[in-house]
């Protein structure tokens, strides 16, 4: 399984960024996909997850600002991040697992290499 995350970079507070994670080596349509992040000095936390059926779960602080989506034809999951805040600065990781709750819990079987998002004030 390979998960290749992209789209990170530097952005001003209030701006937007879209991350993408391309998956290979799995039957994408049968896997829950998720994004987690880890800020400097903090534990990794859930950002959002999307099930096979398209059900989503967001961390409370991301609701209304972030949107997770998937394109099964492209084997890709996206994270649209709007109204970014300096507190959103972190390395963002995508992960996958057939089991929704495992992804939500951050215990999905496969992880990408991470992409750094830096939000400046």
């Amino acid at each position: 399984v390979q998960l290749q995350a992209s789209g990170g970079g530097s952005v001003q507070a209030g701006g937007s960024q879209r991350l993408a994670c391309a998956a290979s080596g799995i039957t994408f349509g049968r896997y829950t996909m998720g994004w987690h992040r880890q800020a400097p000095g903090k534990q990794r936390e859930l950002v959002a997850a999307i099930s096979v059926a398209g059900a989503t779960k967001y961390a409370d602080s991301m609701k209304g600002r972030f949107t997770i989506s998937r394109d099964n034809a492209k084997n890709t999951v996206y994270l649209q991040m709007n109204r970014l805040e300096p507190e959103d600065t972190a390395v963002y990781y995508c992960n996958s697992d057939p089991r929704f709750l495992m992804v939500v819990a951050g215990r999905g079987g496969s992880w990408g290499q991470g992409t750094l998002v830096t939000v400046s004030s």
Side-chain angles (χ1 to χ4, degrees):
V1 179
Q2 285 194 325
L3 301 174
Q4 183 68 43
S6 61
S10 297
V11 63
Q12 295 274 354
S16 297
Q17 196 90 346
R18 188 174 85 150
L19 306 182
C21 176
S24 59
I26 59 172
T27 304
F28 186 79
R30 296 180 180 177
Y31 277 68
T32 288
M33 301 298 296
W35 289 95
H36 284 70
R37 71 183 186 185
Q38 188 166 20
K42 294 187 177 181
Q43 289 189 329
R44 189 169 61 192
E45 62 176 348
L46 171 72
V47 175
I50 185 166
S51 73
V52 169
T56 56
K57 180 171 177 64
Y58 295 91
D60 287 344
S61 62
M62 288 76 160
K63 287 180 181 177
R65 298 191 300 126
F66 291 8
T67 302
I68 189 170
S69 61
R70 63 189 296 158
D71 186 336
N72 288 348
K74 295 183 178 179
N75 287 4
T76 300
V77 61
Y78 302 97
L79 184 69
Q80 177 67 43
M81 304 184 292
N82 299 326
R83 304 199 310 274
L84 283 161
E85 305 167 352
E87 293 73 23
D88 295 317
T89 295
V91 178
Y92 285 72
Y93 299 91
C94 62
N95 66 117
S96 68
D97 197 276
R99 298 159 292 183
F100 183 78
L101 292 179
M102 293 294 280
V103 172
V104 169
R107 297 168 60 189
S110 300
W111 291 84
Q113 84 288 1
T115 186
L116 176 63
V117 174
T118 303
V119 184
S120 57
S121 57

